């Protein structure tokens, strides 16, 4: 039992190193400090106190949930190890066995490249970008992920996986901010159980998520479509009456500065119609503005 507790302390320290990414020299120094602490400590509690401070433990919980682990190959390896550990803990608690698959993959449920399905079901692009690489948006798979598939298709695979946390994802009707928030609470509770990270870190992340969802709703400018009031997509929230922009007219005139003289009219999630008054000749034109990559966009803010 004592040996198991020593291993738990070492695991926690290894997690800290993986998340904080100290330099090789500092990492080596920390390893020697652990060995010295093991040699000198007369109790597990003393070892814990000499190895990692309470403030560092709190920070670890926040780092696990808020780090963009899915943004890099090394980060995904950390995410895979953490999720495997949490899933194993759940299996032990449920007294269930695991037939370990030959391969292990990490899937980002909300994909990096949004298909039409995900643009429709999670239209707030800025919100998507904030959470696609978080641990709470990931799950383990035993087969290669189909990243851009609709959530209904993903669920069909999740329910048959050997990993209980992946099975749990399949219980959601949709993968949206509410489901993501529920998963934050679930993972945070498991992280506290497994590594003794006593102070909850989910409250801050949940508050941030709720604020961001609220802000994205409030920041959508109101425009008219027929007799109904519709919301401008988040990417176009700054294109309002009185705003100055540049519009690419053609290859001869190229970029022309203009002022938005009427509130935009929504055509689709990717396109709005805008009334512009061009500064060079004072002429007024109604133009189409679409959401596109910077290299392809025909407009830019001044």
């Amino acid at each position: 039992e004592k040996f198991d507790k020593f291993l738990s302390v070492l695991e926690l320290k290894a997690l800290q190193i993986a998340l904080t990414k100290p330099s090789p020299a500092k990492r080596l120094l920390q390893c020697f400090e652990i060995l010295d602490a093991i040699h000198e400590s007369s109790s597990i509690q003393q070892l814990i106190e000499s190895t990692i401070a309470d403030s560092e433990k709190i920070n670890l919980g926040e780092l696990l949930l808020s780090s963009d682990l899915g943004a890099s190959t090394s980060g995904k390896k950390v995410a895979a190890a953490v999720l495997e550990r949490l899933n194993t803990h759940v299996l032990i608690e449920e007294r269930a066995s695991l037939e370990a698959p030959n391969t292990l993959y990490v899937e980002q449920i909300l994909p990096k490249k949004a298909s039409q399905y995900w643009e429709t079901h999670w239209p707030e692009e800025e919100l998507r970008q904030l959470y696609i690489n978080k641990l709470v948006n990931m799950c383990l798979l035993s087969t290669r992920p189909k990243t851009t598939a609709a959530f209904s298709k993903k669920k069909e695979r999740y329910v048959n996986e050997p990993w209980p946390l992946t099975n749990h994802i399949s219980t959601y009707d949709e993968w949206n901010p509410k489901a993501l928030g529920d998963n934050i609470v679930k993972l945070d509770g498991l992280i506290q159980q497994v590594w003794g990270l006593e102070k909850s870190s989910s409250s801050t992340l949940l508050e941030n998520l709720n604020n961001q969802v609220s802000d994205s709703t409030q920041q959508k400018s109101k425009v008219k479509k027929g007799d109904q009031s519709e919301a401008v997509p988040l990417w176009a929230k700054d294109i309002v009456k009185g705003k100055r922009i540049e519009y690419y007219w053609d290859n001869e005139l190229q970029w022309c500065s203009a002022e938005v003289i009427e509130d935009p009219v929504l055509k689709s999630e990717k396109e709005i119609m805008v009334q512009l008054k061009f500064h060079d000749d004072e002429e007024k034109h109604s133009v189409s503005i679409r959401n596109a990559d910077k290299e392809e966009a025909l407009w830019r803010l001044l």
Side-chain angles (χ1 to χ4, degrees), residues 55-206:
S55 59
E56 292 176 313
K57 289 172 69 175
I58 293 170
N59 188 45
L60 268 183
E62 294 173 350
L63 275 175
L64 262 178
L65 292 177
S66 62
S67 295
D68 288 321
L69 297 177
S72 66
T73 302
S74 60
K76 285 183 179 178
K77 289 180 179 178
V78 174
V82 169
L83 288 172
E84 188 173 12
R85 179 70 173 89
L86 297 179
N87 275 278
T88 302
H89 174 79
V90 173
L91 288 167
I92 292 172
E93 290 291 304
E94 295 176 351
R95 299 182 181 275
S97 60
L98 170 67
E99 293 183 10
N102 296 325
T103 54
L104 182 66
Y105 299 94
V106 174
E107 175 165 78
Q108 286 161 273
I109 306 162
L110 175 64
K112 283 188 175 183
K113 294 183 179 179
S115 61
Q116 185 175 358
Y117 169 88
W118 288 104
E119 287 181 346
T120 302
H121 287 76
W122 199 310
E124 299 87 357
E125 183 176 357
E126 292 182 18
L127 198 59
R128 286 203 310 265
Q129 295 303 318
L130 284 170
Y131 290 96
I132 52 175
N133 292 315
K134 300 293 190 288
L135 184 68
V136 295
N137 185 51
M138 300 183 199
C139 64
L140 293 182
L141 293 180
S142 56
T143 56
R144 191 173 297 278
K146 296 180 180 178
T147 53
T148 59
F151 185 63
S152 58
K153 295 295 183 182
K154 292 191 175 195
K155 286 174 58 173
E156 292 175 3
R157 302 178 69 201
Y158 294 168
V159 74
N160 295 315
E161 285 291 328
W163 309 104
L165 295 182
T166 304
N167 299 154
H168 177 74
I169 299 296
S170 71
T171 64
Y172 295 112
D173 294 329
E174 295 287 346
W175 189 248
N176 52 27
K178 183 181 183 304
L180 189 79
D182 290 343
N183 206 36
I184 289 173
V185 175
K186 185 173 184 65
L187 290 192
D188 182 65
L190 288 172
I191 288 167
Q192 293 176 61
Q193 291 176 34
V194 173
W195 290 295
L197 305 179
E198 298 172 2
K199 183 176 179 180
S200 172
S201 53
S202 65
S203 57
T204 301
L205 198 63
L206 271 176

